[in-house]
Amino acid sequence: MEIETQSYITNLLKTNPKIVENNLNYNDKKFNKKKEYYQLKEHIDTFLEKESDDRFFIMPGLRGVGKTTIIYQLFSYLLNEKQIPKNRILYLNLENLKDVPNFNIKEYIDVFLKDVNEAYPTVKNQVFIFVDESQYSKNWASLGKIIFDEDKNVFMIFTGSDALNLEYNNDSARRSLKKEIYPLNFAEYLYLKYDINYPDMLSETFRDMIFTGKVKESQKIENRMYNQNLINLNQNYLKEWEYYIQYGCFPFTLNRTEESIVQLTLDMKDRIIEKDLDIITSFTTPIRLATYKLINIIAMSKPSELSSNKLSNILNISKTSIQSIFQALEKTHLLFHVEPYGSCVKRQRKSWEYYFLTSQIKASIYIKNGLATQNPKEYIANLSENLVAASLFKLQQNRDFGIFYDPEKGGVDFLLNTIMGDIIPIEVGIGAKNTKQVKKAISRYNSDYGIIVSNRSSRIQKEDNIISIPISTFSFM
């Protein structure tokens, strides 16, 4: 077994540079880089200068969000720009090894460190270990902790599905830094596809507007952004946005046809059910089959229309099984939930509402079932509500606030509860711009202002205590 492992690692070190370069361009044009690449590159540079001890990173995220491409780009940077010899850079994809009998990641890393790089007792030169699909190893976190503690010349990145979070124990958490990778927002999509670059402060300024109610700076940036879009985009800007929410939320879609995007998105969704759920829990065949159906039902229904009782009756499985499926799907980050606003009793009594982490998955299921063209306005409205929910969920990972839905009859779509206890009502509307619901929510929750996100405003506006934000602008957050 040891000889086979040595042979495998030796072959990887020879072939990885070519594989990496072949996957970093399309039609001889290099792929643009996501912001996470530059963040990790900065950490690599300080590591090479021996100015930082940040050398153990965890990079979880949904399948298809571009984690492997980021790793390839860092590999290429080290090899071609920093002139690091290829025997000091290991890229190991565990999906290729998961079926090896008695597979143990430690054996492969040991060969790289101790045999290839002659570590005794520690590595002499700085080396880099990039492990992809790490969720297929049960002991990746403990191994990373051991290497971190024993050798200061090793820089590590472990990537994989959100099932990685299950292995993110206290010991590894104290030593590592986590960078969750999310689907593309509209700004990232336009940059990766059309090379349209936006200032770093753009998203942050829009986010500050949500929590402060101040619109002046956001209006200035939006005007510059809008003019830049008109100059750089050959086609209608809003048509491009409609394409984005259906087909452009994952980097793998940028050079593909709409038909292939839908199929690849559905394949990715199925792989999450078939592979990632196995790491999280053990479902019986009937429960696994019900999981496919449940996801379809959620995609083609309004979040407010579903309850555990209703789903239990439709799928003919227990409420307990429904809740177990939801818990598992949330751990993969395919879905997330929004609870009703109110007391703990009300939050337990009322059903939770579920959204996809990206509107593209919802759109692909709609399209596959032939429902996207039946009522186009309702279709785009449902995708827009999911987009706003997902944007708020991602924003919540870096800011302290709560996201709830309004349980009152005729209530707004979302209520943000800030760390100071303020409530910000948000309504998502496609079509007629109605302020009635937001005004009621402002009065009910004693809010300073409310927000309408819609396609009826072409620019950010504030009238009295109501802020109107175009849905395309909101998509930059």
Side-chain angles (χ1 to χ4, degrees):
M1 183 65 184
E2 185 176 345
I3 294 174
E4 292 178 5
T5 303
Q6 288 177 336
S7 176
Y8 186 85
I9 293 297
T10 301
N11 186 58
L12 268 188
L13 296 174
K14 289 179 181 176
T15 59
N16 272 342
K18 186 66 175 176
I19 293 171
V20 165
E21 292 306 316
N22 287 343
N23 283 279
L24 286 182
N25 64 81
Y26 180 78
N27 284 344
D28 296 326
K29 182 184 178 183
K30 290 280 186 183
F31 296 142
N32 280 337
K33 300 174 177 70
K34 296 183 70 175
K35 67 179 183 297
E36 290 84 2
Y37 162 84
Y38 293 103
Q39 293 167 354
L40 287 165
K41 172 184 169 294
E42 186 174 341
H43 284 292
I44 284 175
D45 288 341
T46 55
F47 167 74
L48 288 170
E49 295 296 326
K50 298 187 177 181
E51 295 177 352
S52 170
D53 205 32
D54 293 336
R55 47 190 170 82
F56 180 11
F57 291 85
I58 315 299
M59 199 161 68
L62 266 183
R63 292 177 180 272
V65 292
K67 302 182 299 291
T68 300
T69 299
I70 292 171
I71 292 298
Y72 282 169
Q73 289 168 333
L74 292 170
F75 187 111
S76 179
Y77 171 70
L78 287 167
L79 190 69
N80 298 314
E81 294 187 43
K82 305 305 288 186
Q83 301 295 303
I84 303 296
K86 62 183 178 183
N87 67 295
R88 287 164 48 192
I89 315 170
L90 175 65
Y91 169 73
L92 192 63
N93 189 330
L94 299 195
E95 189 158 23
N96 299 331
L97 294 167
K98 68 182 187 298
D99 296 325
V100 173
N102 302 315
F103 165 69
N104 185 346
I105 186 177
K106 186 176 185 301
E107 294 177 4
Y108 292 82
I109 301 296
D110 279 349
V111 167
F112 173 68
L113 292 177
K114 296 177 181 178
D115 294 341
V116 175
N117 286 283
E118 300 177 343
Y120 182 80
T122 59
V123 179
K124 181 180 179 181
N125 297 305
Q126 292 166 312
V127 300
F128 299 83
I129 298 173
F130 303 136
V131 182
D132 217 348
E133 302 292 356
S134 304
Q135 71 273 8
Y136 290 117
S137 169
K138 292 181 180 179
N139 62 334
W140 69 266
S142 58
L143 176 62
K145 167 192 169 295
I146 291 168
I147 294 172
F148 180 90
D149 288 343
E150 292 183 351
D151 206 318
K152 295 186 180 297
N153 275 337
V154 181
F155 185 100
M156 299 172 289
I157 301 178
F158 292 82
T159 86
S161 73
D162 276 281
L164 278 184
N165 291 318
L166 300 179
E167 302 296 330
Y168 193 60
N169 58 42
N170 289 334
D171 283 339
S172 60
R174 284 197 299 270
R175 293 161 173 82
S176 60
L177 296 170
K178 185 165 70 168
K179 287 193 177 294
E180 185 93 21
I181 308 299
Y182 292 106
L184 305 177
N185 64 24
F186 194 29
E188 291 170 323
Y189 163 80
L190 291 172
Y191 172 61
L192 293 182
K193 187 169 184 177
Y194 296 110
D195 206 25
I196 304 175
N197 211 346
Y198 298 93
D200 293 338
M201 64 180 180
L202 180 145
S203 295
E204 192 59 40
T205 303
F206 290 157
R207 292 168 188 163
D208 287 343
M209 171 181 58
I210 299 294
F211 291 98
T212 65
K214 298 175 182 177
V215 302
K216 187 170 289 186
E217 284 304 311
S218 291
Q219 287 173 326
K220 289 178 183 176
I221 287 182
E222 184 189 45
N223 281 332
R224 293 202 301 268
M225 176 194 79
Y226 191 78
N227 291 333
Q228 189 174 353
N229 289 332
L230 293 178
I231 293 169
N232 287 282
L233 287 174
N234 293 325
Q235 53 188 310
N236 183 282
Y237 170 58
L238 293 179
K239 286 291 182 184
E240 191 66 42
W241 174 82
E242 280 196 11
Y243 182 91
Y244 154 73
I245 63 166
Q246 298 174 83
Y247 306 107
C249 300
F250 291 99
F252 69 79
T253 66
L254 297 178
N255 300 302
R256 297 184 182 274
T257 64
E258 294 175 8
E259 183 180 3
S260 67
I261 289 170
V262 169
Q263 190 57 56
L264 286 168
T265 304
L266 296 175
D267 288 347
M268 181 202 68
K269 179 260 297 179
D270 290 345
R271 281 166 66 83
I272 291 172
I273 298 172
E274 293 159 8
K275 295 180 179 294
D276 294 347
L277 284 189
D278 277 343
I279 298 168
I280 294 167
T281 188
S282 241
F283 282 150
T284 62
T285 300
I287 299 299
R288 186 175 293 280
L289 291 174
T291 302
Y292 289 97
K293 295 176 183 177
L294 175 63
I295 290 173
N296 277 3
I297 292 169
I298 294 169
M300 295 182 290
S301 306
K302 291 180 180 295
S304 58
E305 294 174 348
L306 299 175
S307 67
S308 293
N309 283 332
K310 186 173 182 180
L311 290 168
S312 177
N313 291 331
I314 293 172
L315 298 172
N316 197 28
I317 59 176
S318 69
K319 283 176 60 178
T320 302
S321 295
I322 294 289
Q323 290 163 359
S324 295
I325 294 172
F326 275 133
Q327 288 171 3
L329 290 173
E330 286 205 69
K331 287 175 181 175
T332 69
H333 267 190
L334 182 68
L335 300 176
F336 64 94
H337 76 268
V338 176
E339 298 179 25
Y341 180 75
S343 66
C344 291
V345 174
K346 179 177 282 189
R347 287 161 64 181
Q348 290 296 325
R349 192 171 65 243
K350 289 272 191 179
S351 296
W352 292 356
E353 296 185 352
Y354 288 89
Y355 295 90
F356 290 91
L357 190 62
T358 165
S359 58
Q360 185 176 316
I361 297 173
K362 190 177 183 78
S364 294
I365 295 172
Y366 253 97
I367 293 166
K368 185 70 173 179
N369 286 276
L371 298 178
T373 55
Q374 285 189 8
N375 189 337
K377 181 180 173 182
E378 182 179 310
Y379 166 61
I380 295 297
N382 288 340
L383 295 186
S384 298
E385 183 179 340
N386 196 109
L387 181 146
V388 171
S391 298
L392 294 173
F393 175 79
K394 288 182 282 187
L395 179 57
Q396 189 185 40
Q397 309 314 301
N398 297 307
R399 259 179 131 128
D400 291 326
F401 68 95
I403 308 170
F404 303 93
Y405 72 83
D406 190 347
E408 301 298 327
K409 185 176 180 180
V412 293
D413 292 313
F414 304 105
L415 296 170
L416 306 189
N417 190 1
T418 72
I419 196 169
M420 302 301 293
D422 299 321
I423 302 298
I424 305 169
I426 298 180
E427 176 68 10
V428 185
I430 299 300
K433 186 175 68 173
N434 192 336
T435 62
K436 185 178 178 181
Q437 287 169 294
V438 175
K439 287 179 177 177
K440 278 188 176 181
I442 290 172
S443 176
R444 181 183 299 129
Y445 298 108
N446 195 28
S447 303
D448 292 333
Y449 57 93
I451 295 170
I452 296 176
V453 182
S454 78
N455 65 344
R456 294 304 297 265
S457 302
S458 60
R459 295 285 197 283
I460 296 169
Q461 301 170 2
K462 187 172 184 180
E463 297 179 13
D464 297 325
N465 58 353
I466 295 179
I467 301 170
S468 297
I469 305 174
I471 181 67
S472 56
T473 298
F474 196 94
S475 304
F476 277 77
M477 287 192 288

